[in-house]
């Protein structure tokens, strides 16, 4: 079976002035069709960079310096730009982290969903608005016809996130990258959004890369998980196995640092500084090796 997504040896560097800093250091990750993969790691690990590299949405100062990104067997890195842009939003979609800044504040909700539908599916204005209303109903928004005419600031944060989810699933994508889609929401809304993503996955059969720093979310939603640190994959496997028997010391430390309902707060242990220092030393050693290999 062809992997839905297969990232091999992906290296991404950020260039500021004369210095180049690696943020992804040879990442390998493969998702089978329909798989929901949790991507975890502390802030700065490179989770968003990985997602953005797949989406072709890296910041202007970031470049892919090595590796391939195969989407259903086709290399997104080598693909001509127009072809890649046709995939984005249609076959590969993003659920972004921040529902407020990801929506256009001066366009009403319906118009924003309709743009996506008209662009990719060549629907008429009428058809697009009709479909937009159906999509809003699908993400459990009541009175979808009325909501179409509202502006982002006129709806709640949870509803804005639902609108973004509706947009992500609008063209029936086969791969969805969700970059911390619940981080900005309160706990109750978070839970609703997670249920919604799971329902949509079942209905659309999409493969999902779910970026989060919340191991609780991974335990609930993701069959498999990958642990990223300093742009390197440290561990991956079936979520149940990784959580029950973490092999990498960093994964064990992350688990010990995670609050759990069945454990008193005093039992929490921060990730030891010496462990982090050791991981960074290894990351810099890899940087020197790859610099030697390319010079
Ligand atoms: N636009 C940017 N310009 C320069 N450096 C960035 C930019 N975005 C992220 N970085 C750096 O890239 C690294 C990985 O960041 P990111 O992928 O956002 O981490 P995560 O999503 O895991 O928190 C970090 O060291 C961060 O400081
Ligand atoms: Mg991020």
């Amino acid at each position: 079976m062809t992997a839905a997504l297969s990232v091999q040896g992906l290296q991404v560097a950020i260039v500021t002035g004369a210095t180049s800093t690696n943020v992804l250091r040879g990442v390998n990750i493969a998702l089978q069709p329909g798989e929901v993969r949790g991507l975890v790691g502390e802030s700065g690990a490179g989770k968003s960079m990985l997602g953005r590299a797949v989406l072709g949405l890296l910041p202007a100062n970031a470049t892919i310096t090595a590796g391939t990104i195969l989407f259903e067997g086709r290399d997104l890195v080598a693909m001509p730009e127009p072809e890649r842009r046709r995939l984005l939003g249609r076959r590969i979609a993003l659920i972004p982290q921040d529902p407020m800044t990801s929506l256009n504040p001066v366009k009403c909700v319906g118009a924003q969903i309709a743009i996506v539908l008209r662009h990719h599916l060549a629907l008429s204005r009428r058809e697009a608005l009709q479909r937009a209303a159906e999509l809003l109903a699908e993400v459990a928004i009541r009175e979808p016809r009325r909501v179409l005419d509202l502006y982002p600031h006129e709806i709640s944060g949870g509803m804005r996130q639902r609108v973004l989810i509706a947009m992500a699933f609008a063209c029936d994508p086969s791969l969805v990258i969700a970059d911390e889609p619940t981080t900005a929401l309160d706990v109750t809304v978070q839970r609703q959004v997670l249920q919604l993503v799971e329902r949509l996955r079942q209905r659309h059969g999409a493969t999902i890369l779910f970026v989060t720093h919340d191991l609780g979310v991974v335990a609930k939603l993701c069959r498999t998980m990958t642990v990223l640190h300093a742009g390197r994959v440290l561990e991956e496997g079936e979520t149940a196995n990784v959580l029950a028997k973490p092999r990498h010391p960093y994964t064990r430390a992350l688990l010990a640092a995670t609050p759990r309902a069945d454990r008193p707060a005093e039992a929490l242990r921060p990730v030891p500084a010496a462990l982090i220092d050791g991981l960074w030393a290894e990351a810099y050693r890899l940087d020197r090796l790859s610099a030697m290999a390319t010079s």
Side-chain angles (χ1 to χ4, degrees):
M1 188 164 44
T2 310
L5 175 69
S6 170
V7 173
Q8 291 149 8
L10 185 66
Q11 199 168 305
V12 170
I14 299 225
V15 180
T16 35
T19 54
S20 167
T21 315
N22 286 337
V23 289
L24 295 181
R25 299 175 160 88
V27 169
N28 299 318
I29 188 168
L31 273 66
Q32 296 313 311
E35 182 173 345
V36 182
R37 173 75 59 101
L39 180 63
V40 303
E42 290 166 302
S43 176
K47 305 182 298 293
S48 293
M49 284 292 171
L50 177 56
R52 293 173 75 162
V54 173
L55 291 154
L57 296 175
L58 283 173
N61 57 354
T63 40
I64 294 176
T65 47
T68 54
I69 303 172
L70 302 182
F71 166 67
E72 297 174 346
R74 294 193 288 159
D75 189 356
L76 295 174
V77 179
M79 186 179 285
E81 180 67 16
E83 193 180 335
R84 201 175 51 69
R85 264 207 301 266
R86 272 197 301 276
L87 291 175
L88 183 62
R90 191 169 59 87
R91 307 293 299 142
I92 309 175
L94 169 71
I95 306 176
Q97 171 166 7
D98 188 338
M100 199 55 212
T101 57
S102 307
L103 286 168
N104 185 340
V106 300
K107 274 204 162 73
C108 61
V109 165
Q112 297 190 54
I113 304 177
I115 288 170
V116 178
L117 292 165
R118 297 191 66 185
H119 176 70
H120 287 295
L121 306 180
L123 299 185
S124 72
R125 211 184 108 75
R126 249 184 85 92
E127 290 167 335
L129 284 173
Q130 169 61 32
R131 180 76 189 115
E134 289 165 15
L135 283 162
L136 290 186
E138 207 179 323
V139 296
I141 286 179
R142 263 169 284 171
E143 300 181 79
R145 284 274 164 198
R146 190 178 64 83
V147 174
L148 285 182
D149 293 327
L150 299 179
Y151 289 87
H153 71 268
E154 295 177 301
I155 60 179
S156 69
M159 246 160 101
R160 283 195 288 267
Q161 191 54 278
R162 280 161 193 269
V163 168
L164 286 166
I165 293 172
M167 284 167 82
F169 283 93
C171 304
D172 223 354
S174 67
L175 176 65
V176 176
I177 312 251
D179 192 353
E180 311 224 22
T182 58
T183 306
L185 305 172
D186 68 56
V187 178
T188 316
V189 184
Q190 259 182 32
R191 197 174 317 124
Q192 292 166 355
V193 167
L194 292 177
Q195 285 166 355
L196 181 62
V197 171
E198 173 58 19
R199 229 189 34 237
L200 286 171
R201 183 196 64 81
Q202 284 174 8
R203 188 169 313 164
H204 295 253
T207 309
I208 301 183
L209 182 63
F210 199 99
V211 176
T212 177
H213 56 255
D214 190 335
L215 285 166
V217 167
V218 174
K220 282 196 210 83
L221 195 71
C222 308
R223 191 177 59 75
T224 55
M225 64 182 276
T226 295
V227 180
L228 198 70
H229 182 270
R232 287 198 297 145
V233 171
L234 298 185
E235 176 156 11
E236 65 179 356
E238 302 270 331
T239 302
N241 292 345
V242 174
L243 295 182
K245 280 196 202 110
R247 286 187 311 252
H248 197 286
Y250 179 74
T251 315
R252 284 201 288 276
L254 263 191
L255 284 169
T258 300
R260 270 180 20 195
D262 61 351
R263 203 161 58 183
E266 307 85 79
L268 287 184
R269 300 268 172 274
V271 177
L275 175 60
I276 297 293
D277 290 349
L279 288 172
W280 278 107
E282 175 66 11
Y284 294 140
R285 195 181 66 83
L286 287 172
D287 287 349
R288 285 194 300 277
L289 284 176
S290 81
M292 263 162 26
T294 50
S295 68

